[in-house]
Structure formats: structure tokens, C-alpha cells
Amino acid sequence: MAVTERSSQLTKQSNPIVSRLRAVVLSKEGILFLIMIAAMFILSLLTDKFLTTNNLLNQLRLVTEIGLMALPMTFIIITGGIDLSVGSIFGLSAIVMGFLWQDSGWPLELAIIMCIVVGTIAGFINGLFIVRVGVPPLIMTLATLALYRGMALGVSEARSARGFPDWFFDLGQRQFLGIPSQLWILLIAAIMVGIILARTPFGRGIYAMGNNELAARFSGIPVRLYKLVIYTFSGFMAGLAGYIFTSRISTTRADMGTGLELDVIAAVVLGGTSINGGSGSIVGTMIGLILIQLLKNGLLLGGVKGDATIVIIGAILILAILINNLVQRRTGGD
Amino acid sequence: MGATLELEGINKQFPGVKALDNVRFDMAAGEVHALLGENGAGKSTLIKIISGVYRPDGGTIRLDGETVLFNTPREAQQRGIATIYQELSLYPELTVAENIFMGHAPRRKVGPVDVLDWKAANTKAQEILTSLHIHTLDVRRKVGTLTVGNRQRVEIAKALSLNARILIMDEPTAALTEADVEQLFSIVRLLRERGVGIIYISHRLHEVFELADRVTVLRDGQYVGTKLVSETSENDLVSMMVGRTIDNLFPKLDTEIGKPVLEVRNLYRRPMTRGVSFQLRAGEIVGLAGLVGAGRSEVAQVIFGINPAESGEILIDGQPVTIKHPGQAMNHGIAYVPEDRGTQGLVRQMRIRENVSMSVLRAIRAGIFINRREERSLATGMIKQLNIRAYSAEQVVNKLSGGNQQKVVVGKWLASKPRILIMDEPTRGIDVGAKAEIHRLMSELAKEGLAVLMISSELPEILGMSDRILVMRGGQVVAEYSRAEATQERIAAAMMSETAGNGAPESETVMIDESETA
Ligand SMILES: Nc1ncnc2c1ncn2[C@@H]1O[C@H](COP(=O)(O)OP(=O)(O)OP(=O)(O)O)[C@@H](O)[C@H]1O
Ligand SMILES: [Mg+2]
């Protein structure tokens, strides 16, 4: 996949292939990838249940929802924004789907579509207020984090939807061509979004906005439109993830997705996207996502107690970021 | 209180360039020492070594005869070296006083704790400004709302608040109008009398002759020589700088002036644009003169859609158009080279290639993708055409010298192949050679039928390049001269007449001066 825009600082005039390789390995993503391989190696020594195709695929199945939401989150954080409401949108969309199907008697197909529509609208509202009224993203999405969650609770009235027909579980619980079905969606979405970010005028505009929004505007980049698009896209993905999650766990509950935004943001930030905006990549986000999940799983399988797992993961996150900062400074990257 | 400074054998290597190669420099107490050289010659690098931003790879620095090595700008400040950098470095969200005392605010005791005493800071800031004969600047204003000229006064006050014995100024006049320059000069003279040594970088040679005692010239990172200003001439210095002489700084070609391509009628966008009307014809270069705060940039930004007009008409080729955002202006073939390259013109963290293509992203697509090959050739083309000193189009703009950054902004908008080119201080911070080059380019483009509106605070540039000259004051066009009628005196008089003439109350002028809209 496309190497990021912001890596490969130093192109020495030596052997072009060697220097190219050097640039890839020493990029944020390259380093993170090495850390991930190292972690996998160590975890596989802890337990032989870890490094099996089955286990790994299953772990990826579990992070699909977070991964989908991390894609637009990468865009948003690169522009210097944040979306804290994704967990709530995720919950609200799924609840609406369950409600429409179970309580209002809508056909399930239509309810699924509404699930995604509701997510998209919720994201659009975020974007609209951020762009039109100028509410800072942090404040706006903090407010809708509460608002959308409240709506989810109101709609569900603390009841849960269950008893979906069998076909509903195809996406969440079965395989397609030997790979968990929902993983295909993540894979395709990540590739598409990654290429959009790295190669299109839209993606370039996102980076420009994150580094210097005023200069981006002075260059004719439609800054507000782009913001509206990414927040709407974030809602869309949260809706889609809500559907996939329901299909995986067979039921909806009003508190589903609570705190999920932190997992999403952690994956993005660990993946090398600067929280101040301006740099980051989809490849990095995907590696960050997988690294966190594999650590959780490997440590669990290795018999590390729950609390200790969190501590170890936290420590490794900090370490990864430190190593990266060090290397980037050494090589003159930013 | 004066200090002497000697540098010897200074080397500094950046990835891809040797910025300084065995450079020496010295100065005495109470001396104004000018530092000259082309864009990228290494002037800013040298002063950043003196002020502790960079560490030299080799060489010695002696302050008052004692060898020193500064690891941080703070250490240099503590030894009395204060610097005003080329790219102004104030905090726009903080007030004037807070900026002046950033990092060394006066303290007072509240019980057992030391707290910052902003009240004292305000008073002291006011005192410093007064000592510089600056009376109209409110120390409680946010710096972001000030004009460039006033921001610079704040920088100087900040330097003085540190009890500077050596004051380094990197192109302080680049962003100033003549009136501001005069005031700056009197401040510099004041400081010299107090024994402060001043290192002064500028691309304007006449300033060197007006102000400096000695001058040192760098070329391509190497020391060329040091001369007493009284024993040298402009031509001497130019040939030391560029290795040749420049015969014509304003190579204006005669052009066929065609139909009006841009016309604005009674354009309003309060507070700075108050009923502006003018025409711009194909092949014509129109100079827009005025003081800082006269509303020149603001008009340009109304036309370019950054702050769309509240009322009035914009006509392109005689057809009324609406311009609500820059994209629309660009669709009509308008380009705007903004005044402030750091905040408006460039995304400095990105590469030259990415900056140059930013105005044409939609035009250089292959399908939905940016055509990388076209993008790269566009950027390398501009690097060649404008002689930008960079090791490749992949260089991050931040790491270019100031003048070369300015060339990237110009290149970015030339790349959009406009029909109407609005340039706001296009040659700010550009060396004489490159300036002549950009003027020549402007002239050639006009000959090909481009319409150019050039905002400039340098009257010689306005007089030298314009077919017609408009003068703005208080958000309105107050005078118009043809190339033949225009003289420096007439334009200067029109720029200032109201304030000078009927003695408008100072507060009012200040208000106009200051209310730059963000
Ligand atoms: N941080 C940096 N990293 C890499 N190269 C740099 C860096 N800073 C400066 N350079 C390079 O060093 C050379 C000297 O730059 P410098 O800024 O000192 O020039 P200057 O004489 O101040 O020019 P100008 O008149 O345009 O301001 C330039 O080629 C520039 O590209
Ligand atoms: Mg410089």
C-alpha cells in the first residue's frame, strides 16, 4: 500500500533502492511494524496458543469495528480535530436498528440501512456545527457523546433487541473465503481510504489543513467542506460498525460502545498520527490497531492477569511513541 | 554596557547543504553591522548560531574576549544577545505585554508563593515602549490583532526587556512601510547611542548606507569580506553579493494594454474596505500603494473571496460574478500571492512540491489521483524558473531560507496560470538579483496579457513596475496616477495627506491602523 506522505525525509544521493528501503524502515510506520513483529515474537514464546492462524484471524475479527471507525478518525486527527462521539453513535445506530426491526416491525434489511443512515446523520450534525457555528470539535463531540448516548437510552428504554434471523449473522460470525466476513470490509475500506489519503487532492488537503488551515484556505482548498465530509464519514463508519458489532454479538444494548472512542483514538495515535494534526497515515493506524489487540490477546493467553495487562499495554504504547520520536528526530523527520 | 563579539572559522552543515563554510564576523560595542548576501547565503544561519539556536559544527565565538558556546537561545539571552528573527515569533493569542515578558515576567509574592505580576508587566511594557517613543500601542491588546509593523515593535520591546547588549535583526524592514521603517531607524539609532551593538540583515542596500557602520558580505555560505560603509558603494556590495552587477532592478517592458479583465465597483467589507472601485486591464501592471492599514491587503482578500464582499460588484471580463470563497476566485483565473508567507502563503511543514501544487491540485489529476510526475515536474520547473535554492523539490519548505520560501509562494501562484495575478508584497525578503528576476517575470507575463495588481510598500518598486498607480487610504482608493504622472512625492503625499493634512485625531488613525481583520 501507499507509503505515507510524511515519511522518507532523508533521500541521500547514495544507492536509490537502499535509501528508499532505509526511508521505509525508518518511517514511523516501519518502526511500529518492527515493534509489532517483536511483540508477536515474544508473545509466541509465552504461549503456543497465540501464534495460530485461527487465533490471529479471530483477533482481527474482534477489532474490525474499532478499525472501521479508526479510518475516519485518522483523517479527523490529521486535521487537528477529534471525534469523541463515535462510541455513542455506534450505540445509537445499533439501538435504532434493533428498535425499528423489533418494535416497529420494519423489515430487517431496511433497519440495517437505517442503522447506517442514523450514524451518518449523527456525524453530519457534528460536522455541521463544527463548520457552521465554529464549535471546537472537542466540545461539539463531547456534547454529542452525551447527547447521542442519551438518545440511545431513550429509544431502547433499557430493553435489548435479540432473536435476529440466521442470515443476519453471516457478516459478524461467519467466514467468507476462509477469512472472517467483516474483515473483508475492513480490508477493502482501509485500502481505499489509505489511497485516498495518500494520493488524492482530498487527502493532500487534509494534511495541508492539519498543518496550516489558514494557508490551506488561502490556497483554495475547501476547508469547511472537507471537514463536513470527514465528520459525516466518521458517523457513517460508526453506524456501519454498530451493525457489524450487533451481527457479531447477536444483540443490541443501550450501553454498547461505551468508551469505544478511546480505543479508536488509541489505535490512531499509536499508529503515528500526531494529535496536533498534520501528519499520520492509514497504514500506521492499522498497525496500531493490530498491535494493541495482539498485546491484549497474547498477554491474556500467556496468563498475565487483567490489571497487569493494561499496565503492560500502556507501557508498550509509551515506549513505541518514545522510540519513534527518537528515530524521527535522528533522521531529521518531524 | 556595550559588548564585543568575534566569530572565527564558523562551519555549519545541514543535510544536503553546507550553510556556512569557515565564516568570520566581528563587531564592536555600539556598532551597527550589516550582514548582506543573496537568499540562502547563510545570513540567518549565522545569526542563529550567535543566538544559540544552532550549534556550529566548528569554529569559535568570543563574547567580550571570552570564548562562549550557547546551547540554547536562553543562554545567549542571559548574556545579553537578543534576536528578532526573520519569521516573527510572537504568540498571537497573548497580549503585547505578555509577549514582551514571555518567560521572564516580573514576579511578586502572594504569601509564600511567587506569582507572575502582570500588572507590573503591563506598566513595564508601557515604559519600554515609551522609551522607544512608541506611544500608540496598547499593551493589553492581543498581538494577533496588530499590524506587522506593530508586531515588530513588540519584538524590539521584547528584546530590550531582556537588557540586550547585542540586538540582532533579521530583515526587520521586510514587512514595513516606509513610515514604519523611519521609526525603526530612529529606534536603532537610539539604541546605538546607548551602546547596544546591532547586527542588521537586509536586502535593501540603501538602508545599509543609511544606518550601518560596517558591512559583511556572505556568498554561498562563504565569507566574502567586511567593509566600512563609508568606503564602499552599492555597486561594490552587489558585486560582492552576487558576483556580478545588476543593471536594471525594474525591467519594465512596454505592453499593449487590453480590455478590462477585472473591475470592482463600490466594494464594501467593513471595517477595512469601504467603497473601493477600480479597473484592471489585460497586460497592465497596476501598483497599489498605501500605508500599512490602508486596507490594501483587505481589498485583495475580498476580491479573492477570503472575506467575501458585503456589497458592491466584482466583474470579470465585464460580467458580474460572485466570489464567496477562494475556489471561486481561482475558477475565474484569479491568483493571490498573500502578504504573510508564514501563515497564509505556505504550509511550511510540507515539501516544496506539495506547496507549489497546492493551488492546482484539481488540475494535475490523473483520474482521482494527483499525478505525481506532473506535480514533480511542475515543482522542479518552478525551482529552476525562480532559482529557488533547494536540494530537491522534496525539501521541506521550513528548511529553506526566508527569501527562498517567498519564491515558493510566488511559484505556487504562477503554477496556477492565472489571468489576474494579485501580488501582495511579492518581493518581500528577496535579494536584489532575484528581485530583478521576479520583476522581469512579472513584466513578461503582463506582456503576454496577464493583468497584475501589485501591492507593495516599496515606492521604488511601485514606481518602477506599474503602468498605473492607485493609492489607498482608510479603506478607499484616494488617488490614481498614470506611470508618467507618478512621482515618489505625489504618492507619498496621497498616502499620508489626511493624517498629515488636517491632523486627524491620533486615536482614530490608530484604530484604522490596527483593525486588521483575521
Ligand atoms: N534547518 C535547516 N535544515 C536544512 N537546511 C537549512 C536549514 N536552515 C537553513 N538551511 C539551508 O541553509 C542555507 C542558508 O540558509 P539561511 O536561512 O541562512 O539563508 P539566508 O542568507 O538567511 O537567506 P534569506 O536572505 O533568503 O533569508 C540555505 O540553503 C537553506 O536552505
Ligand atoms: Mg534569512
Side-chain angles (χ1 to χ4, degrees):
Chain A
M1 188 192 274
V3 185
T4 63
E5 290 287 314
R6 314 272 308 123
S7 58
S8 68
Q9 278 288 327
L10 257 188
T11 30
K12 285 257 169 61
Q13 295 306 311
S14 58
N15 185 335
I17 298 172
V18 172
S19 68
R20 191 84 178 257
L21 201 69
R22 210 181 108 97
V24 171
V25 171
L26 288 184
S27 68
K28 282 182 182 172
E29 294 78 9
I31 299 219
L32 207 58
F33 187 75
L34 295 182
I35 293 176
M36 185 174 86
I37 299 292
M40 284 175 75
F41 177 73
I42 296 169
L43 291 170
S44 71
L45 297 182
L46 278 176
T47 160
D48 52 11
K49 280 179 258 159
F50 173 68
L51 204 59
T52 65
T53 317
N54 245 341
N55 181 50
L56 293 184
L57 283 179
N58 204 32
Q59 292 313 309
L60 291 179
R61 185 195 286 277
L62 298 181
V63 292
T64 300
E65 297 94 15
I66 297 176
L68 286 173
M69 291 186 278
L71 299 175
M73 191 69 87
T74 308
F75 280 65
I76 289 174
I77 295 182
I78 290 174
T79 63
I82 192 101
D83 186 350
L84 296 176
S85 69
V86 288
S88 298
I89 297 181
F90 173 96
L92 176 63
S93 312
I95 291 292
V96 168
M97 173 174 70
F99 176 81
L100 289 178
W101 173 71
Q102 198 168 51
D103 299 56
S104 305
W106 289 37
L108 186 51
E109 291 84 347
L110 213 58
I112 293 172
I113 291 174
M114 281 312 292
C115 172
I116 297 171
V117 169
V118 166
T120 310
I121 292 173
F124 181 75
I125 291 172
N126 281 339
L128 206 61
F129 273 81
I130 289 166
V131 166
R132 283 271 152 203
V133 189
V135 188
L138 182 79
I139 305 216
M140 181 63 203
T141 59
L142 191 62
T144 51
L145 167 107
L147 179 72
Y148 294 151
R149 178 64 63 194
M151 288 166 66
L153 291 167
V155 172
S156 76
E157 294 171 325
R159 284 171 297 125
S160 60
R162 54 180 72 246
F164 292 99
D166 187 62
W167 64 263
F168 184 75
F169 307 120
D170 282 348
L171 187 58
Q173 303 175 10
R174 310 224 162 87
Q175 303 210 328
F176 181 67
L177 301 179
I179 288 183
S181 319
Q182 66 265 58
L183 210 50
W184 287 104
I185 297 185
L186 177 59
L187 198 69
I188 293 168
I191 291 174
M192 278 174 36
V193 169
I195 291 178
I196 287 174
L197 183 58
R199 294 281 182 208
T200 64
F202 176 77
R204 183 66 63 75
I206 296 289
Y207 284 112
M209 282 159 64
N211 280 304
N212 183 347
E213 190 169 321
L214 191 65
R217 204 153 72 80
F218 271 70
S219 306
I221 291 170
V223 169
R224 293 152 138 243
L225 177 68
Y226 283 9
K227 279 193 187 170
L228 191 60
V229 167
I230 55 180
Y231 285 95
T232 306
F233 181 45
S234 183
F236 169 86
M237 280 303 201
L240 178 63
Y243 158 49
I244 293 174
F245 184 72
T246 312
S247 167
R248 171 155 73 81
I249 67 160
S250 312
T251 172
T252 65
R253 282 180 33 195
D255 65 347
M256 61 195 268
T258 305
L260 208 57
E261 59 280 352
L262 293 183
D263 292 334
V264 176
I265 294 166
V268 174
V269 174
L270 176 64
T273 298
S274 160
I275 197 76
N276 299 320
S279 70
S281 73
I282 296 294
V283 184
T285 296
M286 288 298 115
I287 299 175
L289 174 79
I290 295 169
L291 178 57
I292 294 178
Q293 184 63 20
L294 292 187
L295 282 174
K296 275 188 194 164
N297 170 248
L299 292 172
L300 186 76
L301 291 179
V304 179
K305 292 260 162 41
D307 295 345
T309 310
I310 299 173
V311 173
I312 293 177
I313 290 179
I316 289 181
L317 292 192
I318 293 172
L319 194 74
I321 290 168
L322 282 182
I323 292 179
N324 237 328
N325 276 350
L326 206 71
V327 175
Q328 300 310 318
R329 198 166 318 149
R330 277 283 170 82
T331 57
D334 37 2
Chain B
M1 80 173 263
T4 61
L5 182 71
E6 291 158 274
L7 282 79
E8 241 169 65
I10 301 290
N11 287 313
K12 180 73 193 176
Q13 175 82 43
F14 287 120
V17 288
K18 179 124 205 184
L20 294 174
D21 184 4
N22 196 18
V23 167
R24 57 203 195 78
F25 181 82
D26 72 280
M27 72 180 266
E31 176 188 34
V32 178
H33 194 143
L35 193 55
L36 291 182
E38 288 178 285
N39 296 131
K43 305 178 296 292
S44 297
T45 306
L46 184 66
I47 60 115
K48 282 181 185 162
I49 284 175
I50 298 174
S51 63
V53 176
Y54 297 143
R55 285 180 73 148
D57 299 333
T60 52
I61 306 175
R62 281 191 298 275
L63 183 63
D64 292 326
E66 170 201 349
T67 304
V68 291
L69 184 62
F70 302 127
N71 292 308
T72 62
R74 216 185 165 88
E75 286 177 29
Q77 278 169 11
Q78 279 158 357
R79 297 295 303 266
I81 299 178
T83 311
I84 298 170
Y85 295 103
Q86 188 167 8
E87 314 296 335
L88 298 185
S89 53
L90 298 170
Y91 299 92
E93 285 301 313
L94 300 182
T95 67
V96 171
E98 284 164 350
N99 267 289
I100 291 176
F101 286 103
M102 188 69 201
H104 57 280
R107 289 153 192 276
R108 74 190 153 91
K109 283 241 183 286
V110 172
V113 265
D114 246 0
V115 297
L116 301 182
D117 186 353
W118 287 117
K119 212 163 171 187
N122 280 345
T123 328
K124 279 197 185 170
Q126 193 66 61
E127 277 166 22
I128 295 172
L129 289 173
T130 309
S131 80
L132 295 172
H133 306 304
I134 300 166
H135 305 291
T136 52
L137 196 56
D138 180 355
V139 295
R140 279 175 295 267
R141 274 188 82 124
K142 278 191 183 173
V143 160
T145 66
L146 300 180
T147 60
V148 187
N150 273 328
R151 272 184 240 177
Q152 190 169 46
R153 293 184 189 127
V154 176
E155 290 259 17
I156 295 174
K158 181 175 174 182
L160 294 183
S161 74
L162 293 157
N163 290 320
R165 296 185 302 156
I166 293 178
L167 178 61
I168 304 174
M169 298 197 227
D170 196 349
E171 298 190 29
T173 53
L176 301 187
T177 51
E178 314 243 324
D180 284 327
V181 170
E182 269 318 309
Q183 193 171 3
L184 177 77
F185 282 9
S186 54
I187 294 174
V188 168
R189 292 195 185 102
L190 201 75
L191 294 175
R192 172 166 55 186
E193 271 157 38
R194 293 187 200 162
V196 178
I198 288 157
I199 304 178
Y200 188 89
I201 300 180
S202 177
H203 288 293
R204 301 183 186 168
L205 290 177
H206 64 93
E207 293 179 353
V208 171
F209 285 91
E210 202 168 321
L211 208 59
D213 303 303
R214 282 193 302 159
V215 48
T216 291
V217 177
L218 302 180
R219 190 198 311 157
D220 284 334
Q222 292 183 328
Y223 175 82
V224 180
T226 301
K227 299 216 160 167
L228 280 172
V229 167
S230 53
E231 292 173 4
T232 185
S233 69
E234 280 206 21
N235 283 343
D236 261 3
L237 291 178
V238 170
S239 64
M240 278 169 87
M241 274 162 63
V242 298
R244 62 193 156 89
T245 53
I246 292 175
D247 3 298
N248 190 357
L249 191 50
F250 305 111
K252 174 85 178 80
L253 304 170
D254 279 329
T255 59
E256 187 88 358
I257 291 180
K259 289 211 185 85
V261 282
L262 172 73
E263 182 174 355
V264 301
R265 290 187 191 152
N266 211 14
L267 216 53
Y268 267 90
R269 165 91 193 193
R270 264 163 278 247
M272 291 310 297
T273 305
R274 312 174 182 187
V276 172
S277 308
F278 64 85
Q279 277 191 347
L280 189 62
R281 299 193 181 83
E284 188 182 36
I285 300 178
V286 172
L288 191 53
L291 298 176
V292 164
R296 296 168 301 163
S297 302
E298 286 78 2
V299 171
Q301 290 176 12
V302 170
I303 297 171
F304 194 59
I306 293 188
N307 299 306
E310 289 160 353
S311 68
E313 272 187 299
I314 301 177
L315 295 91
I316 307 273
D317 298 326
Q319 299 299 316
V321 295
T322 37
I323 296 178
K324 292 259 177 261
H325 55 81
Q328 279 175 332
M330 287 159 69
N331 289 341
H332 290 301
I334 304 178
Y336 173 56
V337 176
E339 166 181 39
D340 186 341
R341 61 174 171 259
T343 62
Q344 305 166 336
L346 294 169
V347 181
R348 291 224 295 259
Q349 297 87 338
M350 294 173 83
R351 299 158 194 282
I352 298 175
R353 167 174 57 78
E354 293 166 326
N355 271 287
V356 169
S357 67
M358 203 167 283
S359 60
V360 289
L361 282 175
R362 278 175 297 170
I364 54 163
R365 274 180 311 184
I368 63 162
F369 301 120
I370 297 170
N371 182 338
R372 286 285 182 105
R373 186 171 309 153
E374 205 176 322
E375 187 185 24
R376 194 162 302 127
S377 73
L378 191 71
T380 44
M382 280 304 158
I383 291 177
K384 269 211 202 81
Q385 188 175 10
L386 299 175
N387 195 14
I388 297 172
R389 211 165 282 194
Y391 65 80
S392 89
E394 299 304 306
Q395 187 162 353
V396 173
V397 167
N398 234 339
K399 310 222 155 137
L400 292 176
S401 80
N404 284 302
Q405 292 183 15
Q406 180 64 28
K407 293 185 200 170
V408 175
V409 190
V410 173
K412 160 180 168 179
W413 287 107
L414 290 182
S416 74
K417 300 215 170 56
R419 297 176 52 229
I420 300 162
L421 178 59
I422 306 175
M423 300 178 111
D424 202 342
E425 309 286 357
T427 59
R428 171 176 291 175
I430 285 188
D431 70 51
V432 270
K435 204 171 196 169
E437 203 50 32
I438 286 187
H439 288 154
R440 194 182 49 72
L441 198 70
M442 201 191 280
S443 207
E444 277 170 9
L445 289 170
K447 202 170 175 62
E448 288 165 20
L450 194 84
V452 181
L453 180 67
M454 180 185 67
I455 300 172
S456 172
S457 297
E458 282 184 54
L459 285 186
E461 183 171 57
I462 293 260
L463 290 165
M465 293 309 299
S466 314
D467 295 297
R468 198 150 54 88
I469 294 159
L470 304 175
V471 182
M472 278 191 75
R473 193 180 62 225
Q476 287 168 328
V477 175
V478 293
E480 178 173 341
Y481 303 98
S482 69
R483 186 175 176 80
E485 335 172 292
T487 63
Q488 186 133 0
E489 290 70 35
R490 280 188 171 167
I491 294 175
M495 273 161 51
M496 287 179 282
S497 59
E498 199 168 47
T499 38
N502 59 20
E506 200 157 8
S507 59
E508 191 190 306
T509 21
V510 169
M511 203 195 74
I512 295 167
D513 253 24
E514 299 299 319
S515 37
E516 272 183 10
T517 43

